[in-house]
């Protein structure tokens, strides 16, 4: 089975490929259902071409899955030359109105039917095949038994199915709630995720009375024409959720998906972080390798377990086995006990290393000379100040046997006196204690006590780090079982 990962921008695309995706899907400009994702603009096609060369054999799918109005078709026509610059292997489409245009302008590019088209039966699959589609991204409301029936009926049609990520409470994601409440249509890529908002449940009662009722578990929704069918409404932390679905997680059932005839496993999340894309892609890559006999299951297990360290809600198997499982809602934002602190770059070695080392030594020698030339009382005051404000002290890094120096792009705060963890496509994680690594200013060659986003830094460590390694840190504000909205 193919592993298909999300890529909201070029950076995420590179990590999707590096962490094991066979293919990735992107959105171009404003023609996909994730307009709030960074998407791809201007001359980024050059970087995409370079990535395809760096990762030969990897595929690139492009989502053109909004419902098009005439003015949007006009805009699409005006952007065709721009689209041609990308090495696109397939377009993901829901609106069949643009199919003839794509077939004419991109005759060698495959057409994949978007899950938004709600294709869940073999007769529809046959129709789309006759129209020229080579793959169906099945509606999320389908069961594995139904997938098998479709595959048996149309064996030469590729079937793609979601395996992991956020689910939508609306059928095939065709939701009007966002448009109704905010004027932002989900079908044009502007979903405000209103279903996950914090609604208060209560009546014209005192706050205490309303809270008592809302948290009792006895509050139910019942539609007038469907007596006896109830939605439980249970309030927690001053809000309730009746429309927020659980996250899909099928990593323990990949053999079932393969047996049903699924050709491609899709991970949801073009708006998710680099950390999410890397970790989830890596877990499914290892699980698939174990399924195909390329990796012992015991070796894959630690990577799969790391899914618990990625932002997520409660999980479900969706509609694949039992519809009632998909009907269960959850509360709260997705969360993780880690935050991504930095992206690691290439090793700094040879002349570059020596130049930085020399800078540090010169800075330290100047620091010592300046101290020695001070009046004794001024020097004493300066030394006392450095005891209090240690970050003002100038200290060069020293060469250590076996240690390596790496470029580092800080994304959050990193303290030099704390434990950090490196993760990579090749190893699960490596904990680095203070003393196992040092933060270095790349402009001066001297040690620093901390860095944060936009601060230049390199890391000197005893660990060997493969390309595309990441640095994560335990989030001190995380509490197990406590729901918080982190914005991630």
């Amino acid at each position: 089975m193919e592993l298909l990962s999300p890529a909201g921008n070029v950076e995420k695309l590179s990590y999707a490929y590096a962490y094991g995706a066979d293919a990735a899907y992107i959105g171009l400009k404003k023609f996909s259902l994730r307009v709030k994702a960074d998407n791809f603009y201007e001359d980024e096609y050059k970087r995409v071409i370079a990535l395809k060369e760096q990762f030969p054999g990897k595929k690139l799918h492009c989502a053109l899955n909004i419902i098009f109005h005439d003015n949007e078709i006009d805009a699409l026509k005006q952007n065709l030359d721009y689209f041609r610059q990308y090495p696109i292997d397939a377009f993901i489409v829901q609106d069949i109105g643009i199919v003839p245009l794509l077939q004419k302008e991109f005759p060698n590019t495959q057409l994949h039917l978007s899950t938004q088209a709600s294709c869940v039966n073999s007769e529809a699959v046959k129709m789309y095949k006759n129209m020229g589609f080579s793959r169906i991204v099945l509606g999320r409301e389908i069961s594995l038994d139904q997938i098998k029936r479709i595959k048996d009926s149309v064996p030469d049609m590729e079937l793609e199915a979601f395996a992991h990520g956020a689910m939508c409470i609306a059928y095939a994601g065709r939701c009007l709630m966002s448009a109704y409440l905010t004027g932002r249509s989900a079908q044009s890529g502007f979903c405000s995720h209103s279903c996950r908002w914090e609604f208060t449940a209560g009546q014209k009662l005192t706050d205490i009375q309303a809270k008592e009722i809302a948290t009792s578990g006895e509050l139910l929704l019942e539609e007038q024409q469907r007596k006896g069918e109830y939605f439980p409404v249970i309030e927690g932390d001053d809000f309730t959720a009746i429309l927020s679905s659980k996250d899909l997680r099928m990593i323990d059932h990949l053999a079932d998906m393969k047996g049903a005839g699924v050709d491609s496993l899709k991970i949801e999340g073009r708006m998710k972080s680099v950390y999410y894309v890397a970790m989830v892609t890596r877990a499914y890559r290892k699980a698939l390798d174990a399924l195909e006999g390329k990796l012992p299951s015991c070796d894959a297990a630690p990577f799969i377990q790391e899914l618990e360290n990625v932002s997520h809600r409660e999980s479900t198997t969706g509609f694949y086995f039992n519809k009632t499982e998909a009907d269960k809602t959850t509360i709260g934002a997705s969360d993780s006990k880690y935050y991504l602190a930095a992206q690691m770059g290439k090793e700094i070695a040879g002349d570059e290393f020596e130049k930085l080392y020399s800078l540090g030594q010169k800075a330290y020698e100047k620091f010592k000379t300046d101290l020695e030339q001070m009046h004794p009382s001024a020097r004493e005051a300066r030394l006392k100040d450095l005891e209090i404000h240690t970050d003002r002290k100038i200290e060069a890094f020293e060469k250590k046997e076996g240690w390596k120096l790496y470029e580092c792009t800080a994304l959050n705060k990193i303290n030099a006196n704390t434990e950090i963890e490196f993760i990579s496509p090749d190893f699960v994680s490596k904990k680095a204690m203070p003393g196992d690594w040092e933060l270095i200013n790349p402009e001066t060659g001297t040690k620093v006590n901390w860095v944060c986003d936009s601060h230049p830094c390199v890391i000197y460590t005893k660990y060997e780090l493969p390309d595309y390694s990441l640095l994560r840190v335990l989030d001190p504000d995380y509490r197990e079982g406590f729901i918080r909205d982190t914005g991630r």
Side-chain angles (χ1 to χ4, degrees):
M1 287 187 289
E2 174 189 80
L3 178 58
L4 177 61
S5 292
N9 56 33
V10 177
E11 188 176 52
K12 295 173 188 176
L13 179 63
S14 68
Y15 280 88
Y17 285 159
Y19 278 72
D22 299 304
Y25 59 103
I26 67 172
L28 292 182
K29 294 196 171 183
K30 58 184 179 180
F31 301 107
S32 81
L33 286 179
R34 291 295 179 268
V35 169
K36 288 176 68 179
D38 292 342
N39 289 322
F40 290 71
Y41 293 86
E42 299 174 354
D43 63 350
E44 289 183 328
Y45 65 88
K46 296 176 182 177
R47 294 178 62 190
V48 176
I49 291 171
L51 280 174
K52 290 264 285 186
E53 293 173 350
Q54 181 184 348
F55 296 97
K58 305 282 188 178
K59 297 294 183 68
L60 183 70
H61 303 174
C62 175
L64 295 178
N65 55 349
I66 66 169
I67 293 176
F68 283 79
H69 294 268
D70 279 328
N71 63 312
E72 289 161 333
I73 291 181
D74 293 339
L76 176 62
K77 291 177 179 177
Q78 293 170 5
N79 282 277
L80 290 176
D81 287 340
Y82 175 73
F83 282 22
R84 287 191 184 94
Q85 297 176 101
Y86 282 84
I88 296 169
D89 297 292
F91 288 113
I92 307 169
V93 176
Q94 91 162 287
D95 191 330
I96 61 174
I98 65 170
V99 169
L101 175 64
L102 294 177
Q103 289 174 325
K104 176 184 176 183
E105 300 293 338
F106 303 91
N108 298 318
T109 304
Q110 293 184 353
L111 289 179
H112 294 177
L113 184 73
S114 170
T115 189
Q116 299 290 126
S118 312
C119 185
V120 292
N121 67 75
S122 55
E123 295 306 315
V125 171
K126 293 174 185 176
M127 182 195 74
Y128 286 116
K129 179 185 175 184
N130 290 336
M131 292 175 61
F133 285 87
S134 61
R135 177 181 293 188
I136 303 296
V137 187
L138 295 162
R140 300 193 198 193
E141 297 74 20
I142 200 167
S143 70
L144 290 180
D145 287 341
Q146 291 170 318
I147 293 176
K148 188 175 188 309
R149 179 172 175 176
I150 290 174
K151 193 65 174 180
D152 290 342
S153 298
V154 197
D156 53 347
M157 174 63 84
E158 291 184 359
L159 301 180
E160 179 179 307
F162 280 90
H164 195 93
M167 296 277 282
C168 182
I169 202 70
Y171 193 91
R174 294 183 173 221
C175 180
L176 296 177
M177 188 174 184
S178 175
Y180 177 73
L181 292 176
T182 68
R184 292 165 50 184
S185 172
Q187 300 314 303
S188 295
F190 292 98
C191 183
S192 61
H193 302 282
S194 309
C195 59
R196 303 195 194 278
W197 289 2
E198 299 177 357
F199 295 93
T200 298
Q203 303 175 18
K204 292 182 178 179
L205 306 169
T206 67
D207 289 344
I208 294 176
Q209 290 172 324
K211 181 71 174 178
E212 184 177 347
I213 292 174
T215 58
S216 67
E218 298 177 0
L219 192 61
L220 305 169
L221 290 183
E222 181 185 39
E223 204 277 322
Q224 289 298 307
Q225 302 302 316
R226 293 167 176 80
K227 297 297 183 181
E229 295 183 17
Y230 302 110
F231 273 109
V233 180
I234 302 175
E235 183 164 323
D237 294 325
D238 299 318
F239 69 92
T240 187
I242 59 172
L243 301 171
S244 181
S245 56
K246 293 183 178 182
D247 285 358
L248 181 65
R249 176 183 162 134
M250 288 293 288
I251 199 161
D252 299 321
H253 307 283
L254 301 187
D256 295 314
M257 297 188 78
K258 184 176 182 178
V262 174
D263 297 289
S264 178
L265 298 172
K266 190 167 194 172
I267 297 169
E268 180 275 337
R270 276 192 291 129
M271 292 174 63
K272 298 290 179 68
S273 66
V274 162
Y275 180 67
Y276 177 94
V277 171
M279 296 290 282
V280 176
T281 297
R282 187 181 71 169
Y284 276 81
R285 175 76 275 149
K286 302 301 183 183
L288 276 174
D289 287 348
L291 178 64
E292 295 168 0
K294 300 176 182 177
L295 183 72
S297 296
C298 58
D299 290 345
F303 292 97
I304 295 171
Q305 183 60 33
E306 280 290 320
L307 285 177
E308 297 303 315
N309 293 326
V310 182
S311 291
H312 65 282
R313 299 178 180 86
E314 290 182 279
S315 63
T316 175
T317 54
F319 292 84
Y320 287 128
F321 296 104
N322 189 327
K323 181 180 179 295
T324 57
E325 178 68 17
D327 289 340
K328 297 175 182 176
T329 58
T330 188
I331 60 174
S334 59
D335 204 358
S336 168
K337 68 179 182 180
Y338 288 97
Y339 64 78
L340 180 62
Q343 295 169 215
M344 304 304 299
K346 68 180 179 67
E347 181 185 353
I348 300 171
D351 291 342
E352 282 187 273
F353 178 94
E354 294 299 333
K355 180 180 179 181
L356 191 58
Y357 175 75
S358 178
L359 278 174
Q361 295 299 314
K362 289 178 181 177
Y364 179 61
E365 290 301 323
K366 183 179 184 304
F367 169 72
K368 288 198 303 181
T369 299
D370 290 345
L371 273 179
E372 291 168 357
Q373 293 176 349
M374 285 182 178
H375 185 278
S377 59
R379 181 166 58 250
E380 183 179 356
R382 175 66 169 155
L383 290 173
K384 286 183 178 179
D385 178 70
L386 291 174
E387 288 178 4
I388 299 171
H389 303 99
T390 56
D391 57 333
R392 297 176 183 174
K393 186 176 182 181
I394 304 299
E395 184 179 2
F397 77 95
E398 297 297 333
K399 295 179 181 179
K400 297 184 180 182
E401 184 68 29
W403 281 44
K404 295 179 182 293
L405 193 66
Y406 294 96
E407 293 178 346
C408 177
T409 302
L411 304 174
N412 283 292
K413 188 171 184 180
I414 310 171
N415 289 307
N417 62 348
T418 59
E419 175 187 307
I420 62 174
E421 288 189 35
F422 296 114
I423 59 175
S424 82
D426 303 324
F427 57 76
V428 178
S429 70
K430 290 183 178 179
K431 293 183 180 180
M433 305 300 292
D436 294 337
W437 63 286
E438 296 171 348
L439 280 173
I440 312 296
N441 185 327
E443 297 172 354
T444 64
T446 57
K447 295 182 184 180
V448 293
N449 292 335
W450 61 274
V451 295
C452 62
D453 183 20
S454 79
H455 284 210
C457 72
V458 295
I459 285 183
Y460 194 40
T461 179
K462 69 179 185 179
Y463 295 109
E464 185 171 351
L465 304 178
D467 291 341
Y468 294 99
S469 292
L470 297 171
L471 189 165
R472 70 183 181 188
V473 176
L474 284 169
D475 190 337
D477 297 325
Y478 177 80
R479 281 194 287 148
E480 189 74 34
F482 175 74
I483 298 169
R484 60 175 184 164
D485 187 354
T486 63
R488 293 199 303 275

